[in-house]
Coordinates of all heavy atoms in Angstrom, one line a residue:
P53 N -2.1 16.2 16.6 CA -1.9 17.6 16.3 C -0.7 17.8 15.3 O -0.8 18.7 14.5 CB -1.6 18.2 17.6 CG -1.4 17.1 18.6 CD -1.9 15.9 18.0
L54 N 0.3 16.9 15.3 CA 1.4 17.1 14.4 C 0.9 16.8 12.9 O 1.2 17.6 12.0 CB 2.4 16.0 14.7 CG 3.7 16.0 13.8 CD1 4.5 17.3 13.9 CD2 4.6 14.8 14.1
V55 N 0.1 15.8 12.7 CA -0.4 15.5 11.4 C -1.4 16.7 11.0 O -1.4 17.2 9.8 CB -1.1 14.1 11.3 CG1 -1.9 14.0 10.1 CG2 0.0 13.1 11.5
A56 N -2.3 17.1 11.9 CA -3.2 18.2 11.6 C -2.5 19.4 11.2 O -2.9 20.1 10.2 CB -4.1 18.4 12.8
K57 N -1.4 19.8 11.8 CA -0.7 21.0 11.5 C -0.1 20.9 10.1 O -0.2 21.8 9.3 CB 0.4 21.2 12.6 CG 1.4 22.3 12.3 CD 2.4 22.4 13.3 CE 3.6 23.2 12.8 NZ 4.8 23.0 13.6
H58 N 0.5 19.8 9.8 CA 1.2 19.6 8.5 C 0.1 19.6 7.3 O 0.5 20.0 6.2 CB 2.0 18.3 8.4 CG 3.3 18.5 9.0 ND1 3.6 18.5 10.4 CD2 4.5 18.8 8.4 CE1 4.9 18.7 10.6 NE2 5.5 18.9 9.4
F59 N -1.1 19.1 7.6 CA -2.1 19.0 6.6 C -3.0 20.2 6.6 O -4.0 20.3 5.8 CB -2.8 17.7 6.6 CG -2.0 16.6 6.0 CD1 -1.2 15.9 6.8 CD2 -2.1 16.3 4.7 CE1 -0.4 14.8 6.3 CE2 -1.3 15.3 4.1 CZ -0.5 14.5 4.9
G60 N -2.9 21.1 7.5 CA -3.7 22.3 7.7 C -5.2 22.0 8.0 O -6.1 22.7 7.4
V61 N -5.4 21.0 8.8 CA -6.8 20.7 9.2 C -6.9 20.8 10.7 O -5.9 20.8 11.4 CB -7.2 19.3 8.7 CG1 -7.2 19.2 7.2 CG2 -6.3 18.2 9.3
A62 N -8.1 20.8 11.2 CA -8.4 20.7 12.6 C -8.0 19.4 13.2 O -8.0 18.4 12.5 CB -9.8 21.0 12.9
K63 N -7.6 19.3 14.5 CA -7.2 18.1 15.1 C -8.4 17.0 15.0 O -8.1 15.9 14.9 CB -6.8 18.3 16.5 CG -5.5 19.0 16.7 CD -5.1 19.1 18.1 CE -5.8 20.3 18.8 NZ -5.4 20.6 20.1
R64 N -9.6 17.5 15.1 CA -10.8 16.6 15.0 C -10.9 15.9 13.7 O -11.6 14.9 13.5 CB -12.0 17.3 15.4 CG -12.5 18.3 14.4 CD -13.8 19.0 14.8 NE -14.2 20.0 13.9 CZ -13.8 21.3 13.9 NH1 -12.9 21.7 14.9 NH2 -14.1 22.1 13.0
A65 N -10.2 16.4 12.6 CA -10.3 15.8 11.3 C -9.3 14.7 11.1 O -9.4 14.0 10.1 CB -10.0 16.9 10.2
V66 N -8.5 14.4 12.1 CA -7.5 13.4 12.0 C -7.8 12.3 13.0 O -8.0 12.5 14.2 CB -6.1 13.9 12.3 CG1 -5.0 12.8 12.3 CG2 -5.7 15.0 11.4
T67 N -8.0 11.0 12.5 CA -8.3 9.9 13.4 C -7.4 8.7 13.1 O -7.0 8.5 11.9 CB -9.7 9.4 13.2 OG1 -10.0 9.2 11.9 CG2 -10.7 10.5 13.7
I68 N -7.0 8.0 14.1 CA -6.2 6.8 13.9 C -7.3 5.7 13.6 O -8.1 5.4 14.4 CB -5.4 6.4 15.1 CG1 -4.4 7.6 15.4 CG2 -4.7 5.1 15.0 CD1 -3.6 7.4 16.7
V69 N -7.1 5.0 12.5 CA -8.1 4.0 12.1 C -7.5 2.6 12.3 O -8.2 1.6 12.3 CB -8.6 4.1 10.7 CG1 -9.4 5.4 10.6 CG2 -7.4 4.2 9.6
A70 N -6.2 2.4 12.4 CA -5.5 1.1 12.6 C -4.1 1.4 13.2 O -3.5 2.4 13.0 CB -5.4 0.4 11.3
G71 N -3.7 0.4 14.1 CA -2.4 0.5 14.6 C -2.3 1.4 15.9 O -1.3 1.9 16.2
E72 N -3.4 1.4 16.7 CA -3.5 2.2 17.9 C -2.2 2.0 18.8 O -1.7 2.9 19.4 CB -4.7 1.9 18.6 CG -5.0 2.8 19.8 CD -5.6 4.1 19.5 OE1 -6.2 4.3 18.4 OE2 -5.4 5.1 20.3
T73 N -1.8 0.7 18.9 CA -0.7 0.3 19.8 C 0.6 -0.1 19.0 O 1.5 -0.5 19.7 CB -1.1 -0.8 20.8 OG1 -1.5 -1.9 20.0 CG2 -2.3 -0.4 21.7
A74 N 0.6 0.1 17.7 CA 1.7 -0.3 16.9 C 2.5 0.9 16.5 O 2.0 2.0 16.5 CB 1.2 -1.1 15.7
R75 N 3.7 0.6 16.0 CA 4.5 1.8 15.4 C 3.9 2.2 14.1 O 4.0 3.4 13.8 CB 6.0 1.3 15.2 CG 6.7 1.3 16.5 CD 8.2 1.0 16.2 NE 9.0 0.9 17.4 CZ 9.9 1.8 17.8 NH1 10.2 2.7 17.0 NH2 10.5 1.6 18.8
L76 N 3.5 1.3 13.3 CA 2.9 1.6 12.0 C 1.4 1.8 12.2 O 0.7 1.0 12.6 CB 3.2 0.5 11.0 CG 2.8 0.8 9.6 CD1 3.5 2.1 9.0 CD2 3.1 -0.3 8.6
K77 N 1.0 3.0 11.9 CA -0.4 3.4 12.0 C -1.0 3.9 10.7 O -0.3 4.4 9.9 CB -0.5 4.6 13.1 CG 0.1 4.2 14.4 CD 0.1 5.4 15.4 CE 0.8 5.1 16.6 NZ 0.4 3.9 17.4
R78 N -2.3 3.7 10.6 CA -3.1 4.2 9.5 C -4.0 5.3 10.0 O -4.7 5.1 11.0 CB -3.9 3.1 8.8 CG -3.0 2.0 8.3 CD -3.2 1.9 6.8 NE -2.3 0.8 6.4 CZ -1.3 1.0 5.6 NH1 -1.0 2.2 5.2 NH2 -0.6 0.0 5.2
L79 N -3.9 6.4 9.4 CA -4.7 7.6 9.8 C -5.6 8.1 8.7 O -5.3 7.9 7.6 CB -3.8 8.8 10.2 CG -3.1 8.7 11.6 CD1 -1.9 7.8 11.5 CD2 -2.7 10.1 12.0
H80 N -6.8 8.5 9.1 CA -7.7 9.2 8.1 C -7.7 10.6 8.4 O -7.8 11.1 9.6 CB -9.1 8.6 8.3 CG -10.2 9.2 7.4 ND1 -10.9 10.3 7.9 CD2 -10.5 9.0 6.2 CE1 -11.7 10.6 6.9 NE2 -11.4 9.9 5.8
I81 N -7.6 11.4 7.3 CA -7.6 12.9 7.4 C -8.8 13.3 6.6 O -8.9 13.1 5.4 CB -6.3 13.5 6.9 CG1 -5.1 13.0 7.6 CG2 -6.4 15.0 7.0 CD1 -3.8 13.4 7.0
A82 N -9.8 13.9 7.3 CA -11.1 14.3 6.6 C -10.8 15.7 5.9 O -10.2 16.5 6.5 CB -12.2 14.4 7.7
G83 N -11.4 15.8 4.8 CA -11.3 17.1 4.0 C -11.4 16.8 2.5 O -11.8 15.7 2.1
D84 N -11.0 17.8 1.7 CA -11.0 17.7 0.3 C -9.9 16.7 -0.1 O -8.7 17.0 0.1 CB -10.8 19.0 -0.4 CG -10.7 19.0 -1.9 OD1 -11.4 18.1 -2.5 OD2 -10.0 19.8 -2.4

Side-chain angles (χ1 to χ4, degrees):
L54 178 67
V55 171
K57 176 183 159 191
H58 277 83
F59 282 89
V61 298
K63 290 184 277 189
R64 69 180 176 272
V66 179
T67 55
I68 298 173
V69 294
E72 187 82 24
T73 60
R75 281 187 185 246
L76 187 58
K77 302 179 185 304
R78 299 242 180 248
L79 284 77
H80 176 264
I81 305 170
D84 177 33

